[in-house]
């Protein structure tokens, strides 16, 4: 099938075509986490959408060479400024952990030394990789085979220094009076094309995007930092411009070019990366390589809201994956909840939505188990799932219409009665074909291979008791078939119910 994909650079949906002459290998750079804390579910929405894009490409027979950076230096707290203001986020992490150590509240099972920025970065990088693996991100499997798949900027400082020198040599960068090396945005006429900014608007400081304290020493207020001499910075390296550290934007350009080539097929990230980060990447990469473009397709995920608003620790709705697992969620349910809304729409995360995702996965999982048990049973061609697969892939190839794909899958699943033996017979094929179709669709969604059984903590208890209430209502209405179905569903989840004079009770059983 032909994949159509919205390109943030052209602001249009385009037919995807790979650079590779064979047309079957795709180079894909995904902006990853800055490892100064645990990644939250808003971060993971962007990462998982990139994973779904990769899985979709692979399902239509592309080979995807994906790289995702793990930023461990140079990302500043005021990253809305092109040259980065405030503190290095690794310094923020070190300060926070120092206070936690004094209070005896370091992260669980951690002997981390807050004074060692490499140890801080390594701790949170490992935590991210654990979370990403639980959520089924394929880049983690790549990284097990090669560290190049999830590179860290601290290992690519030499490449960054070389890139900066080439920009200076070609009059695209300069050393200012404060010793900082800046990129000269006026040397790149296309600066602002991705974000829609103009140099005039950036000159006026529109949107708080210009560092007013340093603009007087720059050629243009929007010129952004490539290298900053700072002998007191937590992480620093020798360079021709003094001991210091690289700019955040520089890192991705250096690693993408080193690992994927001067021009790549796809670059992804959250919409907050568009400006200044990705805009700056394009400018410095094109000027360093002499190529007319850096990435052919730019893929951006919009923001995640929680209960209709921005995540807030003070409101108690700022969630990491680990927070949700403690509430009884499963990785499979979290993944489905984070990918089910179209990537170009703001998504609204709720605990009720998470419960609904859990139930949906359990229905799919029950059908998978049933199909495995009856795989050799004969059916007429094509079964509902085999037919749904065509609609499913057509939806995914339509700019990743996940909701349409899930709708096609769920409609097919609803045609099966998994509480009884198959009744349809024929000469055309077997239920193994239906199982293969289900698994093929899940190769894109990536949920059935993840942990899908909820533990009996708060969230799971609410789900179980809601199902028991539904069963009681069915029995009151003499809908015995539905009551039996719910009993069987609960048993499949590992919950055994018992009716007695004082009502219905339940216990978890070992499966």
């Amino acid at each position: 099938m032909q994949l159509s994909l919205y390109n943030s650079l052209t602001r249009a949906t385009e037919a995807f075509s790979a650079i590779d002459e064979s047309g079957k290998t795709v180079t894909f750079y995904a902006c990853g986490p800055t490892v100064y804390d645990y990644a939250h579910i808003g971060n993971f929405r962007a990462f998982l959408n990139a994973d779904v894009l990769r899985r979709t490409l692979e399902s239509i027979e592309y080979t995807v060479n994906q790289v995702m950076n793990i930023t461990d230096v140079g990302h500043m707290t005021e990253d809305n400024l092109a040259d980065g203001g405030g503190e290095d986020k690794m310094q923020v992490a070190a300060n926070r952990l120092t206070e936690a150590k004094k209070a005896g509240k370091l992260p669980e099972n951690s002997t981390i030394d807050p004074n060692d920025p490499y140890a801080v970065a390594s701790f949170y990088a490992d935590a991210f990789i654990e979370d990403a693996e639980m959520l089924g991100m394929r880049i983690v499997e790549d990284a097990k085979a090669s560290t190049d798949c999830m590179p860290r900027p601290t290992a690519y400082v030499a490449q960054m220094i070389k890139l900066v020198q080439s920009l200076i040599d070609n009059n695209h960068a300069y050393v200012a009076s404060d010793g900082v090396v800046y990129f000269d945005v006026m040397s790149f006429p296309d600066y602002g094309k991705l974000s829609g900014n103009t140099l005039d608007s950036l000159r006026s400081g529109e949107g708080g995007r210009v560092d007013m304290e340093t603009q007087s020493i720059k050629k243009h207020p929007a010129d952004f930092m490539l290298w900053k001499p700072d002998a007191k910075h937590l992480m620093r390296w020798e360079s021709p411009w003094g001991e210091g550290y690289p700019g955040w934007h520089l890192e991705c350009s250096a690693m993408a070019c080193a690992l994927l080539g001067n021009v790549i097929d796809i670059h992804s990230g959250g919409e907050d990366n568009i400006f200044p980060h990705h805009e700056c990447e394009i400018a410095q990469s094109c000027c360093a390589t002499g190529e007319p473009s850096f990435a052919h397709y730019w893929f951006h995920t919009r923001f995640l809201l929680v209960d209709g608003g921005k995540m807030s620790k003070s409101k108690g709705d700022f969630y990491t994956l680990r927070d949700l697992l403690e509430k009884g969620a499963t990785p499979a349910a979290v993944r489905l909840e984070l990918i089910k809304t179209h990537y170009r729409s703001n998504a609204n995360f709720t605990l009720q939505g998470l419960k609904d995702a859990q139930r949906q996965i359990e229905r799919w999982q029950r059908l998978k188990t049933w199909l495995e048990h009856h795989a050799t049973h004969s059916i007429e061609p094509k079964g509902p799932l085999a037919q749904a697969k065509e609609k499913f892939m057509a939806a995914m190839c339509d700019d990743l219409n996940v909701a349409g794909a899930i709708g096609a899958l769920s409609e097919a699943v609803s045609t099966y009665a998994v509480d009884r033996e198959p009744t349809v017979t024929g000469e055309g094929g077997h239920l193994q074909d239906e199982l293969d179709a289900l698994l093929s669709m899940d190769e894109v969604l990536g949920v059935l291979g993840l942990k899908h059984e909820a533990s009996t903590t708060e969230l799971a208890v609410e789900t179980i008791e809601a199902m028991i209430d539904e069963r009681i209502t069915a029995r009151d209405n003499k809908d015995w078939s539905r009551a039996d179905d719910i009993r069987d569903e609960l048993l499949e989840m590992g919950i055994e119910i018992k009716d007695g004079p004082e009502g219905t009770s339940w216990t978890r059983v070992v499966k």
Side-chain angles (χ1 to χ4, degrees):
M1 288 189 177
Q2 173 64 58
L3 171 66
S4 295
L5 195 64
Y6 183 84
N7 189 347
S8 300
L9 183 64
T10 61
R11 297 171 181 78
T13 301
E14 304 172 0
F16 178 78
S17 177
I19 297 170
D20 174 47
E21 290 183 0
S22 70
K24 284 302 177 183
T25 298
V26 175
T27 49
F28 187 171
Y29 188 92
C31 269
T34 299
V35 285
Y36 73 111
D37 205 343
Y38 297 108
H40 57 68
I41 57 173
N43 303 138
F44 270 113
R45 183 182 186 225
F47 305 149
L48 288 171
N49 276 319
D51 185 66
V52 170
L53 173 55
R54 171 185 172 162
R55 286 167 174 265
T56 300
L57 286 164
E58 291 174 339
S59 289
I60 53 176
E61 299 184 351
Y62 283 99
T63 297
V64 180
N65 185 5
Q66 185 183 19
V67 169
M68 172 182 275
N69 65 296
I70 295 183
T71 297
D72 58 358
V73 67
H75 190 173
M76 311 304 283
T77 53
E78 295 178 23
D79 56 13
N80 62 311
L81 302 178
D83 50 345
E87 295 180 275
D88 188 308
K89 290 189 174 182
M90 294 311 303
Q91 181 69 63
V92 172
N95 294 343
R96 184 183 68 249
L97 291 170
T98 296
E99 293 302 313
K101 184 175 183 179
K102 290 178 181 177
K105 296 180 179 179
L106 281 175
E108 186 179 357
N109 300 325
S110 170
T111 58
I112 189 170
D113 180 2
N115 297 313
D116 181 352
Y118 291 93
V120 172
S122 181
F123 175 82
Y124 286 117
D126 289 346
F128 170 76
I129 291 170
E130 288 174 8
D131 291 351
E133 185 170 29
M134 280 193 285
L135 290 171
M137 287 173 54
R138 285 188 170 166
I139 189 69
V140 178
E141 291 303 311
D142 296 343
K144 290 178 180 178
S146 171
T147 57
D148 288 346
C149 296
M150 300 184 81
R152 305 187 189 188
T154 48
Y156 287 81
V157 175
Q159 290 88 335
M160 295 180 215
I161 291 173
K162 183 179 179 181
L163 192 155
V164 174
Q165 188 62 61
S166 71
L167 291 171
I168 293 174
D169 293 343
N170 291 301
N171 298 316
H172 291 294
Y174 60 92
V175 182
S177 59
D178 60 355
V180 175
V181 184
Y182 291 104
F183 180 87
D184 182 357
V185 295
M186 290 187 291
S187 74
F188 184 63
D190 281 345
Y191 190 80
K193 183 178 179 181
L194 178 68
S195 61
N197 285 306
T198 65
L199 289 180
D200 286 341
S201 69
L202 293 171
R203 184 183 294 279
S204 67
E206 182 179 295
R209 291 170 172 160
V210 174
D211 184 349
M212 304 304 290
E213 292 182 6
T214 61
Q215 66 170 304
S216 61
I217 63 174
K218 301 177 183 179
K219 292 181 178 181
H220 188 284
D223 291 351
F224 57 90
M225 184 189 87
L226 297 172
W227 188 273
K228 185 172 184 176
D230 185 351
K232 296 181 180 179
H233 197 264
L234 189 64
M235 302 171 83
R236 56 190 183 273
W237 294 263
E238 289 291 342
S239 82
W241 316 284
E243 188 179 37
Y245 62 96
W248 171 40
H249 319 302
L250 186 66
E251 302 168 358
C252 288
S253 290
M255 292 187 291
C257 289
L259 298 170
L260 297 174
N262 291 343
V263 184
I264 61 177
D265 286 299
I266 303 172
H267 197 312
S268 72
E271 67 173 327
D272 55 329
N273 290 144
I274 294 175
F275 189 92
H277 187 44
H278 289 164
E279 193 76 77
C280 295
E281 276 189 63
I282 292 171
Q284 65 199 7
S285 298
C286 291
C287 290
T289 64
E291 297 285 353
S293 65
F294 174 39
H296 282 192
Y297 300 87
W298 289 84
F299 176 86
H300 291 104
T301 294
R302 295 201 67 183
F303 291 115
L304 179 75
L305 306 176
V306 175
D307 293 326
K310 187 176 180 180
M311 279 194 293
S312 169
K313 290 184 178 180
S314 63
K315 292 192 298 184
D317 59 7
F318 186 96
Y319 298 126
T320 65
L321 172 63
R322 294 161 191 239
D323 294 330
L324 295 173
L325 296 183
E326 288 179 0
K327 289 180 174 290
T330 67
V334 174
R335 179 182 172 99
L336 184 61
E337 178 67 6
L338 290 178
I339 67 172
K340 71 181 185 183
T341 301
H342 195 267
Y343 73 93
R344 286 197 290 120
S345 298
N346 287 336
N348 186 35
F349 182 92
T350 66
L351 292 180
Q352 182 58 52
L354 192 59
K355 297 175 189 177
D356 295 340
Q358 179 70 38
R359 289 187 180 183
Q360 192 162 41
I361 291 167
E362 286 163 356
R363 286 193 291 272
W364 298 344
Q365 185 63 37
R366 286 194 295 276
L367 177 58
K368 174 178 175 287
T369 301
W370 185 86
L371 289 170
E372 288 171 339
H373 183 68
H374 299 288
T376 59
H377 189 87
S378 297
I379 59 169
E380 297 284 356
K382 291 180 175 178
L385 288 168
Q387 295 179 59
K389 181 183 173 182
E390 297 175 10
K391 296 178 182 178
F392 179 98
M393 288 308 304
M396 292 306 303
C397 286
D398 181 16
D399 194 29
L400 304 194
N401 178 6
V402 177
I406 290 174
L409 170 58
S410 295
E411 182 180 359
V413 170
S414 68
T415 65
Y416 280 96
V418 298
D419 59 338
R420 58 190 69 132
E421 293 293 310
T423 56
V424 179
T425 60
E427 301 299 328
H430 298 89
L431 283 176
Q432 179 66 50
D433 299 327
E434 287 288 87
L435 176 61
D436 291 344
L438 175 62
L439 295 177
S440 177
M441 288 183 274
D442 185 60
E443 283 295 305
V444 177
L445 297 179
V447 295
L448 293 182
L450 305 181
K451 185 176 184 298
H452 62 272
E453 288 187 356
S455 59
T456 52
T457 52
E458 178 183 355
L459 184 62
V461 168
E462 292 177 0
T463 300
I464 293 164
E465 292 182 347
M467 293 178 71
I468 289 174
D469 289 342
E470 184 183 352
R471 177 175 177 270
I472 291 171
T473 300
R475 285 166 62 89
D476 288 344
N477 294 332
K478 301 188 185 310
D479 186 352
W480 310 118
S481 176
R482 179 57 187 151
D484 289 342
D485 286 348
I486 295 171
R487 178 201 61 209
D488 293 340
E489 289 173 16
L490 287 166
L491 189 59
E492 184 64 31
M493 293 166 57
I495 304 301
E496 186 177 72
I497 60 175
K498 183 177 181 179
D499 298 315
E502 298 179 1
T504 302
S505 60
W506 61 269
T507 57
R508 178 166 289 278
V509 295
V510 178
K511 298 178 66 178

